[in-house]
Amino acid sequence: MKLPSLAQIKKELSHLPEEELIGLLMETAKFTTDNKQFLFFKIYGRENPGFFQEMVEEELQQAFENANLDHAHFAKKSAQAIRRKLNKYLKFTKDKPTQIELIAFFCRELSEHGFLSFNHPVINNLYVMQLNKIEKLIGGLHEDLQYDYQELFEELVHNINQ
């Protein structure tokens, strides 16, 4: 079975009445918690643009506090799990400054919770990959914002060198 393109689906959705659209959204939200979270952030985040970032940071903070740091192997697994959670939430927003802030939050928490002190190659590579993401995102911003976030980037680079 060949699925129609998003453009075709959008065209068909434009012809549906409001009640039917709401019904389709509700059915979509019931499929996965990701769909439900996405709708929640899109609906409630309109009035407060920082709402999404605050909620994600709170959830990541809780994950860092519950992380197992007894051994480098467990720390690595915990860091990878938190990174997967971060990546899931990064897909929810197209706002580059928000993405930069969330990735920077993840990097700061990795450093503050002692993940980097294990000097484990996987954890260090994970940190460097996040720095590369930030650097790429900064390159796509306006020059004024680039300058502001460049300082943040340099601070995070300094953390790995310690």
Side-chain angles (χ1 to χ4, degrees), residues 19-104:
E19 296 82 26
E20 230 176 305
L21 284 174
I22 291 172
L24 283 172
L25 279 173
M26 294 309 299
E27 285 182 44
T28 304
K30 290 178 186 177
F31 280 120
T32 66
T33 56
D34 289 349
N35 290 348
K36 188 175 179 180
Q37 284 178 325
F38 177 75
L39 284 174
F40 175 75
F41 287 131
K42 288 298 180 182
I43 292 170
Y44 292 101
R46 289 181 297 171
E47 295 92 35
N48 180 3
F51 173 73
F52 171 73
Q53 184 176 339
E54 291 168 11
M55 293 291 288
V56 172
E57 285 179 359
E58 184 178 311
E59 189 165 332
L60 293 178
Q61 178 67 39
Q62 186 176 12
F64 274 107
E65 289 172 4
N66 295 334
N68 186 349
L69 298 175
D70 294 340
H71 187 270
H73 174 73
F74 299 127
K76 173 191 80 157
K77 292 294 186 187
S78 294
Q80 289 173 325
I82 297 168
R83 191 223 34 227
R84 281 191 299 275
K85 191 177 287 197
L86 169 69
N87 287 342
K88 178 182 80 170
Y89 287 124
L90 290 176
K91 292 177 186 176
F92 287 179
T93 182
K94 292 183 171 130
D95 184 43
K96 289 182 182 181
T98 301
Q99 289 179 340
I100 292 170
E101 292 287 340
L102 289 174
I103 296 170

Side-chain angles (χ1 to χ4, degrees), residues 5 7 13 34 36 42 67 80 82 84 117 125 127 129-130 153 158:
S5 68
L13 287 174
D34 289 349
K36 188 175 179 180
K42 288 298 180 182
Q80 289 173 325
I82 297 168
R84 281 191 299 275
S117 65
N125 287 341
Y127 189 88
M129 285 173 32
Q130 300 310 307
F153 177 74
H158 180 70

Side-chain angles (χ1 to χ4, degrees), residues 115-160:
F115 284 85
L116 297 179
S117 65
F118 286 103
N119 207 19
H120 192 283
V122 173
I123 296 173
N124 292 344
N125 287 341
L126 189 144
Y127 189 88
V128 170
M129 285 173 32
Q130 300 310 307
L131 291 179
N132 290 341
K133 281 184 185 179
I134 291 174
E135 190 173 34
K136 185 177 177 183
L137 287 167
I138 288 173
L141 293 175
H142 187 270
E143 290 176 9
D144 294 339
L145 287 174
Q146 281 183 3
Y147 179 76
D148 294 341
Y149 285 113
Q150 194 62 39
E151 292 177 18
L152 171 68
F153 177 74
E154 289 169 8
E155 172 192 326
L156 294 172
V157 168
H158 180 70
N159 283 346
I160 198 160

